[in-house]
Amino acid sequence: MNLRTISTQPFTDQKPGTSGLRKSVPTFQQPHYLENFIQSIFDSLENCEGATLVLGGDGRYFNRPAIQTILKMAAANGFGRVLVGQEGILSTPAASCIIRENQAIGGIILSASHNPGGPEGDFGVKFNTSNGGPAPEKVTEAIYERSKTIDRYTILEAGDVNLDRAASFKLGTLSVEVIDPVDSYSTLMESLFDFEKIRNLLTSGKFRLCMDSMHAVTGPYARKILEGILGAPEGTVMNGEPLEDFGGGHPDPNLVYAHDLVEILFSKDAPDFGAASDGDGDRNMVLGNNFFVNPSDSLAVLTANAALVPGYSQGLSGVARSMPTSQAVDRVAKKLGIDCYETPTGWKFFGNLLDADKATLCGEESFGTGSNHVREKDGLWAILFWLNILAARDQSVEEIVRHHWQAYGRNFYSRHDYEAVDKQRATDLMKHLQAQFSQLEGQKVGTYEVEYADDFSYTDPVDGSVSENQGLRIGFTDGSRIIFRLSGTGTQGATLRLYIESYEPDASKHDVDPQVALAPLIDIAEQLAQIRQFTERDEPTVIT
Ligand code: VG1
Ligand code: CO
């Protein structure tokens, strides 16, 4: 075996963000940059000797060379087996599923999720632990600490492994198994949902579905499950070929970046159901015929209808949502008599709740929903959940959501993103806002009265760990909220996220455009934070 130890110097910027280490491709292509981070992951593991590792990515530019490097490093670091997705493909939820099924020590997922790809785009490395979930903060901290002092890495000198077909190879003492990326995942989906009911719906001739995989990782998954197993007509999945640059788009399923799908669903002869997923397949956007489902509402609807889905018909142990996600699901939890947890942004905070069976369903306002079937949010899972509900209720998406609002009231909700603004100015905005907090409590702002103004801090109810500085929030006495956060996934400057929520029990007012319903709160946000002045922008980049 030709093992080589390469001496290296630390990079100072390998601190993982909300979801892994994300940097531009040229940053990752610097000599030793990827290797340093991978070795830091391996060094922070207790014992990788003989262990199983799962490896794959969303197919973006640099995915394949990175996989070859990681395989050779895994061989040199004593791993026993690496399960790698064919052609280097594994969606984030599928990787989570495979880690759990094979009692792997963890997995490395190569993705910058919704960030654009290509030679000048972004690349990313996420590490998931043996429960299948994103590494918790204590693990990412240990990796970061290691990256600051690393002075060598080990790698096997060997030829590249052929990733194009399912087969097994030896790299030194390491077994490399190239596996079908879809198989285990689709079996898991079949165990949760009523495939027969969904198949009947999709082949009835009365229901049309359109799925946009945005040239990202879910193409092969959606084609096999929706068109293959469930019988949807060929062509149901659009942009189903994973491309290294996602066809030049942002693989971000929202109203702005998934415009092809939005156009189809908001046309005259629109299909009944539209869905899109992101770069690595963990997010979902759901649309009805001329109708947008807000992700926070989606979580609430899934929770309220879970009894219709075989995998959840036994009841839910609890639900969890990230802090900025609307409180729509809280109302459902209350009615069901189950606990509802509020966590910081990022799926890693749901892991303990799921492992301890305190929550069954989880969700984030950023188009992320998932359950205890894996330890990641899961785009196709959410789409199948919706299809199962639609098949069981025989109503349109719009009818289901409107009934939901009638029963629970409507939580008007919107997120405004100001992307790639100047970092210093964004930090100054947050400081300027926070400086007002001590005087805000009890004060009247417009017609609203401030109940609390704070920096969100979370104590994990399972292991007691504390996560501070998770977003500035201003809560009003009527339950409305304004929240400010700086993104932890962007790679250019800073991205400011403003989240706005209000509650309307009166069904006759549920038709109002959220931007109109929330206008007074949006004005207050501007008044308090001087967004225009600090960001030097007249309007947000993306409004959801
Ligand atoms: C964003 C979302 C957050 C999500 C994270 C990772 O983080 O707001 O809800 O968990 O992306 O999702 P931030 O720090 O930019 O707000 V993914 O699909 O990019 O792995
Ligand atoms: Co993602």
Side-chain angles (χ1 to χ4, degrees), residues 19 22 92 111-114 126 278-283 377:
S19 174
R22 291 187 197 185
T92 288
S111 173
S113 190
H114 56 286
K126 304 193 275 185
D278 72 332
D280 60 332
D282 54 2
R283 297 187 181 198
K377 54 188 185 277

Side-chain angles (χ1 to χ4, degrees), residues 45-48 51-53 79 99 103-107 127-130:
L45 289 174
E46 293 266 292
N47 188 7
C48 39
T52 298
L53 183 74
F79 283 89
I99 293 169
Q103 284 90 44
I105 192 169
F127 178 66
N128 283 28
T129 48
S130 59

Side-chain angles (χ1 to χ4, degrees), residues 11 25 32 37 99 104-106 115 142 144 179 186-187 214 233 242 252 297 326 365 387 392 418 426 463 481 496:
F11 292 88
V25 167
H32 311 311
F37 190 66
I99 293 169
I105 192 169
N115 298 21
Y144 177 48
I179 56 168
S186 74
T187 308
M214 303 190 83
D252 196 350
D297 280 343
S326 97
E365 46 62 43
L387 285 171
Y418 295 81
D463 66 15
R481 298 189 301 162
L496 171 72

Side-chain angles (χ1 to χ4, degrees), residues 270-288:
D272 302 281
F273 186 61
S277 54
D278 72 332
D280 60 332
D282 54 2
R283 297 187 181 198
N284 72 93
M285 177 170 71
V286 165
L287 304 168

Side-chain angles (χ1 to χ4, degrees), residues 28 30 35 88 97 123 139 269 271 375 427 480 500:
F28 265 105
Q30 297 173 82
E35 291 86 345
C97 159
F123 190 72
V139 176
D269 185 31
R375 293 294 180 272
T427 316
S480 305
I500 320 114

